[in-house]
Amino acid sequence: MEKSNIPFIALSFCLLLTSSHGWIQKGKRMVGDHKSILSNERKVYIVYMGNGHESGIPRVDDHHKILSSVIGDEKLAMEHRIHSYGRSINAFAARLLPHEAEQLKGMEGVISVFPNTLRKLHTTRSWDFVGLPMSVKRSNAIESNLIVGMIDTGIFKDNPFFDDKGYGPPPAKWKGSCDKGISGNFSGCNNKVIGARYYYDSHAGDGEHDDMSPTDSEGHGTHTSSTVAGGAVSGANFYDLATGTGRGGVPSARIAVYKVCWSDGCTDLSILMAFDDAIADGVDVISFSIGGSPTDYFVDSIAIGSFHAMQKGILTVASGGNEGPTMSTVANVPPWMFTIAASGLDRMFLTDLKLGNGKQFSGRETLNTFTPEKKSYPLIDGFHAKNHPGSGEDARSCSSGLDESKVKGKIVLCEDAYWSDTNRVLENKGIGFISPMYGTDGDFPSILPTTMLKADDCNSVEQYINSTKNPTAVIEKTRVAKRPAPFVADFSSRGPNYISNFILKPDVAAPGVDILAGWSTLNPLTESPEDTRYVKFNIISGTSMSCPHVSAASLYVKSFHPDWSPAAIKSALMTTTTPIKLGVKAGPLAYGSGQINPTGAVHPGLVYDLDQNDYIAFLCKEGYTSLMLSTILGDKVDCPKPPSSKAQQSVVTDGINYPSMSYTVRENTTNSVRAVFERTATNVGYGKSVYKASVVADKGLSVSVVPDTLTFNERHEKKSFKVMVRVDDLSEAEVFKGVLEWSDSRHKVSSPIAIVNYAIMHY
């Protein structure tokens, strides 16, 4: 599993996949076999060949011919082909030897061949916090015809958020299906959850304990789905915490579920199948809280799937990852995707520890659901609870070496402990757990009463234990407190973009810390077999939680502007954000344009629009060839030759009409940089308007705008301008930050500017 600063308690992360053979189950269809008939040398690859056929029928015969020519035997080719994509994407998956994969890469019509890899899964208060209360103006008739495609762990449809009372039949445009599965745990679709598909890739594992249906036995997909489009549920709470009316951002919208993540992982093979279907089914926005390490766009199932979604007018919103605060860790970075960071609310949870000497400390990072029955309990530390003189160091952290007779019935202080060490205390019949904080935002439930304290507070508890014969303490039930906000969660992945020097990622931030939403009652609260708590609502954290907030905000904007392109909706949300001012050194590399303001995005004034041709021009500039892009589109593409003059090389240009402006200097050869960002703004506000430019920039960053006034005479009129940026001494900072704002006195259209000196960046 990839490193994450979020403790693994209630989050449903996809786990490491090990098997390289098996079968795919899609609904009731089996593709391939379940027997281990292949040598260990064969692995699953995806062969990507561009746009799907207009008929939506997979080119199975073509795929078989290509595979036969490489393998050299038609029967073996038939056995080794796993799946042919074709509703929206032309590709196939097959079990290949390394040399066969290499041979396919050189064949005409093949764009890329890449291994089937692992991906991982990256609210009562949150919608009010971003300015989208229950009473907000809505276009309900249109909203009810919008469909969000959730590519995730499935859905627990019996959760109250998905009641379809009052809903009419699915929109006429819907072309999807409802696969009940073979486990019997999925009760079928309704007029709220209108579609459900599942894709199990047993090349990743044996699936022995998985629910072969669209049912969410993890909880993650139910949480994200209810955050986007859950209906209003009064009295939603987590053990009386965060009580209120829970709902999604677009509660009238419909949900289509594509289950790709299981107990043993989420694979490219399944992810691409889900994109292929979701695009053809007729969804309006795809919400994707999954990620992996960024790579070349067209050897990446996520980038490929979202590119073809963009072609059909579908915006893909994706989580940016939980690898922060380390720099250059952001995932899901293509410019046609909407990449989301996690911000925090003005609410926090504290778990108090009271010692027998009267001292009290407030802990974080835990959600203690247990109300103490007594005023105090015996207290011990791991070192004094050791079962052997030589086991003291292991016992300090409670990882091993504990004596049950010393731990039984006591609260245990564990130094340098992990969440898993809670189970060691429970196994030895302890009744409470104290440890130092991990230093991450987000709070998680534990199987025991638990609190995590600052290091100095832990030292004070240790001193108390050593100063008295019979130390006692009590861990109180978690309480709610206020905190300054918004802020960027420390676990939220940061830029700069690892793939494209000119695209600032993440794009925006949205609430992703301590979000209350729906949960699956098929999964114990802490996923531990000893845990007997099953809940309808859960509080969890991650960019997986911030992503569905922006998916909902995108649908909300679309409900007022159904004719807007994905890029226009994205621009509206990026240029109308709320600034994040609370101590984030990385600035826009942490939060992009800022925290979303959905109601403001309905009337943005100006948008920076993009279509397929703009992205193709960008890809040409990024070094993709005319032949490759022609193959992807099925139409001829002629990339212009790159400029060769020294004058052109001395000034960098990004070549894309993106709502933010960024350049990452990878090699600091001149210690200075000059960049020109050419932009075209489309007037979507009032007919006649005059916008004036203003710039705020860090010391050392010089910015000029030409022209600095844009005069529009009618709606949909376009005006172009240039933003010229200069840094004379790159060594002065890791990131030079600025903001360009266009204002007509009624609208403020803001774009972040970032020049990044990658060479001196501290990770």
Side-chain angles (χ1 to χ4, degrees):
M1 187 194 299
E2 290 187 60
K3 164 191 168 285
S4 175
N5 287 330
I6 300 182
F8 183 82
I9 285 290
L11 286 178
S12 303
F13 290 117
C14 290
L15 303 179
L16 183 64
L17 311 185
T18 55
S19 177
S20 61
H21 57 269
W23 48 275
I24 286 281
Q25 181 173 357
K26 178 185 179 185
K28 295 182 179 179
R29 292 188 286 128
M30 307 274 187
V31 185
D33 56 46
H34 191 50
K35 295 180 180 179
S36 178
I37 60 173
L38 303 170
S39 74
N40 290 330
E41 291 181 332
R42 284 196 179 273
K43 294 183 179 180
V44 179
Y45 289 82
I46 295 169
V47 183
Y48 171 54
M49 303 176 69
N51 277 340
H53 195 270
E54 290 183 2
S55 68
I57 300 173
R59 302 173 182 175
V60 177
D61 290 342
D62 292 344
H63 298 163
H64 182 65
K65 288 178 182 177
I66 293 170
L67 194 56
S68 297
S69 68
V70 171
I71 292 177
D73 185 287
E74 287 196 13
K75 184 178 179 182
L76 281 178
M78 187 175 296
E79 291 177 355
H80 295 328
R81 186 183 61 82
I82 298 167
H83 178 74
S84 282
Y85 306 86
R87 297 190 72 196
S88 311
I89 301 164
N90 184 16
F92 67 90
R95 292 175 287 250
L96 302 172
L97 295 171
H99 77 272
E100 293 168 348
E102 287 300 315
Q103 189 175 342
L104 277 165
K105 288 180 183 179
M107 295 186 68
E108 183 178 352
V110 173
I111 297 162
S112 62
V113 180
F114 54 95
N116 181 34
T117 56
L118 169 72
R119 307 288 177 166
K120 77 171 185 180
L121 292 166
H122 279 171
T123 106
T124 50
R125 178 76 183 116
S126 59
W127 286 117
D128 290 330
F129 185 70
V130 296
L132 203 64
M134 287 283 288
S135 58
V136 75
K137 180 182 178 182
R138 293 185 181 276
S139 182
N140 286 320
I142 297 177
E143 184 178 301
S144 183
N145 281 314
L146 296 177
I147 306 164
V148 60
M150 303 297 303
I151 300 180
D152 213 298
T153 65
I155 196 166
F156 188 70
K157 200 211 71 182
D158 296 331
N159 190 282
F161 279 117
F162 310 124
D163 189 330
D164 70 344
K165 184 178 180 180
Y167 287 83
K173 65 183 179 182
W174 175 242
K175 300 180 181 66
S177 65
C178 186
D179 302 326
K180 289 188 177 181
I182 60 177
S183 69
N185 283 333
F186 188 66
S187 58
C189 298
N190 60 17
N191 287 331
K192 178 65 175 178
V193 181
I194 62 174
R197 299 176 184 267
Y198 65 103
Y199 315 81
Y200 184 70
D201 178 1
S202 73
H203 300 86
D206 57 19
E208 180 182 353
H209 304 293
D210 281 310
D211 190 316
M212 292 300 165
S213 81
T215 288
D216 179 14
S217 55
E218 303 290 324
H220 190 278
T222 301
H223 199 280
T224 54
S225 296
S226 58
T227 301
V228 178
V233 177
S234 61
N237 70 90
F238 178 76
Y239 289 91
D240 297 324
L241 292 172
T243 302
T245 298
R247 60 191 168 84
V250 280
S252 297
R254 316 303 180 103
I255 299 170
V257 175
Y258 302 85
K259 181 177 177 179
V260 300
C261 290
W262 307 75
S263 62
D264 49 15
C266 347
T267 64
D268 287 321
L269 184 55
S270 298
I271 288 168
L272 202 58
M273 291 171 76
F275 270 107
D276 194 31
D277 281 336
I279 295 166
D281 286 346
V283 304
D284 294 285
V285 166
I286 292 172
S287 190
F288 189 83
S289 291
I290 308 167
S293 299
T295 186
D296 182 279
Y297 294 141
F298 295 111
V299 294
D300 179 351
S301 65
I302 303 168
I304 290 169
S306 58
F307 181 85
H308 290 284
M310 173 275 299
Q311 289 182 300
K312 299 297 185 181
I314 302 166
L315 177 61
T316 300
V317 184
S319 50
N322 303 326
E323 310 299 323
T326 304
M327 305 301 293
S328 201
T329 53
V330 64
N332 297 323
V333 297
W336 50 85
M337 296 185 79
F338 206 173
T339 310
I340 317 304
S343 59
L345 306 177
D346 58 352
R347 176 186 67 193
M348 65 190 300
F349 297 104
L350 298 176
T351 304
D352 296 329
L353 174 72
K354 295 180 181 178
L355 301 180
N357 63 2
K359 289 187 176 181
Q360 179 172 320
F361 306 98
S362 293
R364 290 280 317 281
E365 302 174 17
T366 59
L367 293 169
N368 179 32
T369 68
F370 305 99
T371 300
E373 297 178 355
K374 301 178 182 179
K375 290 186 176 181
S376 66
Y377 299 85
L379 174 66
I380 195 172
D381 62 22
F383 181 78
H384 288 99
K386 60 183 180 294
N387 59 10
H388 184 274
S391 61
E393 289 307 312
D394 289 335
R396 278 185 195 277
S397 66
C398 303
S399 59
S400 63
L402 295 176
D403 187 329
E404 181 180 313
S405 66
K406 297 176 182 178
V407 171
K408 185 177 180 180
K410 295 178 183 177
I411 298 171
V412 185
L413 171 65
C414 304
E415 298 180 18
D416 299 321
Y418 293 94
W419 276 100
S420 58
D421 298 327
T422 313
N423 293 325
R424 307 290 86 75
V425 173
L426 179 65
E427 290 168 3
N428 285 279
K429 297 184 170 52
I431 53 90
F433 181 83
I434 307 168
S435 82
M437 290 182 182
Y438 290 108
T440 186
D441 294 309
D443 303 281
F444 303 88
S446 172
I447 198 167
L448 285 175
T450 298
T451 188
M452 295 188 170
L453 307 177
K454 296 177 182 177
D456 289 345
D457 292 343
C458 280
N459 291 337
S460 296
V461 176
E462 183 73 35
Q463 290 170 9
Y464 166 66
I465 291 172
N466 292 327
S467 67
T468 184
K469 186 176 181 180
N470 296 304
T472 61
V474 63
I475 300 173
E476 300 287 359
K477 186 177 178 179
T478 296
R479 61 184 174 89
V480 180
K482 299 287 287 184
R483 72 182 301 177
F487 60 91
V488 177
D490 57 7
F491 60 75
S492 187
S493 290
R494 269 63 165 169
N497 187 336
Y498 184 75
I499 302 299
S500 295
N501 292 336
F502 293 108
I503 301 297
L504 177 65
K505 292 287 181 172
D507 290 307
V508 294
V513 177
D514 293 337
I515 304 301
L516 177 75
W519 200 248
S520 172
T521 58
L522 297 178
N523 193 21
L525 185 55
T526 59
E527 302 185 20
S528 171
E530 291 80 19
D531 199 341
T532 59
R533 295 169 296 170
Y534 294 83
V535 295
K536 294 179 181 178
F537 315 105
N538 198 1
I539 294 173
I540 57 176
S541 301
T543 55
S544 282
M545 285 62 256
S546 55
C547 168
H549 279 85
V550 180
S551 302
S554 301
L555 287 165
Y556 178 73
V557 173
K558 188 175 179 66
S559 71
F560 290 93
H561 303 287
D563 59 331
W564 278 12
S565 69
I569 293 171
K570 178 178 172 181
S571 174
L573 284 161
M574 287 179 66
T575 59
T576 57
T577 55
T578 300
I580 295 178
K581 300 178 180 179
L582 293 177
V584 181
K585 182 182 177 183
L589 298 184
Y591 52 70
S593 298
Q595 180 167 276
I596 57 166
N597 174 15
T599 55
V602 172
H603 303 289
L606 305 175
V607 295
Y608 299 100
D609 209 353
L610 289 161
D611 60 19
Q612 174 180 290
N613 292 332
D614 296 302
Y615 291 118
I616 293 300
F618 165 78
L619 291 169
C620 286
K621 192 172 182 64
E622 289 284 292
Y624 292 88
T625 66
S626 299
L627 177 60
M628 175 184 283
L629 296 174
S630 297
T631 305
I632 291 171
L633 297 181
D635 292 319
K636 185 173 177 57
V637 172
D638 287 317
C639 289
K641 292 182 179 180
S644 57
S645 70
K646 292 183 179 179
Q648 289 285 356
Q649 291 176 352
S650 65
V651 180
V652 296
T653 57
D654 62 351
I656 186 169
N657 197 39
Y658 212 68
S660 57
M661 302 168 200
S662 180
Y663 176 59
T664 298
V665 183
R666 296 286 170 178
E667 296 182 6
N668 188 356
T669 56
T670 63
N671 202 39
S672 65
V673 65
R674 291 174 62 202
V676 175
F677 303 99
E678 298 179 352
R679 296 292 185 265
T680 299
T682 302
N683 179 24
V684 294
Y686 303 100
K688 290 188 176 182
S689 52
V690 178
Y691 285 83
K692 292 187 178 296
S694 62
V695 175
V696 176
D698 286 347
K699 181 182 178 182
L701 176 65
S702 174
V703 182
S704 59
V705 184
V706 179
D708 62 1
T709 301
L710 301 178
T711 301
F712 296 92
N713 294 311
E714 57 187 7
R715 291 195 72 194
H716 307 302
E717 186 178 0
K718 299 177 183 291
K719 294 288 183 179
S720 298
F721 61 93
K722 294 181 179 180
V723 179
M724 290 167 284
V725 175
R726 189 180 78 247
V727 175
D728 292 327
D729 187 356
L730 285 167
S731 66
E732 290 182 351
E734 294 180 358
V735 186
F736 295 85
K737 306 179 294 295
V739 176
L740 164 65
E741 181 180 280
W742 289 103
S743 176
D744 67 346
S745 76
R746 291 170 291 190
H747 303 96
K748 292 183 178 180
V749 187
S750 298
S751 294
I753 301 169
I755 302 298
V756 182
N757 186 356
Y758 191 84
I760 68 169
M761 183 163 286
H762 296 91
Y763 288 85

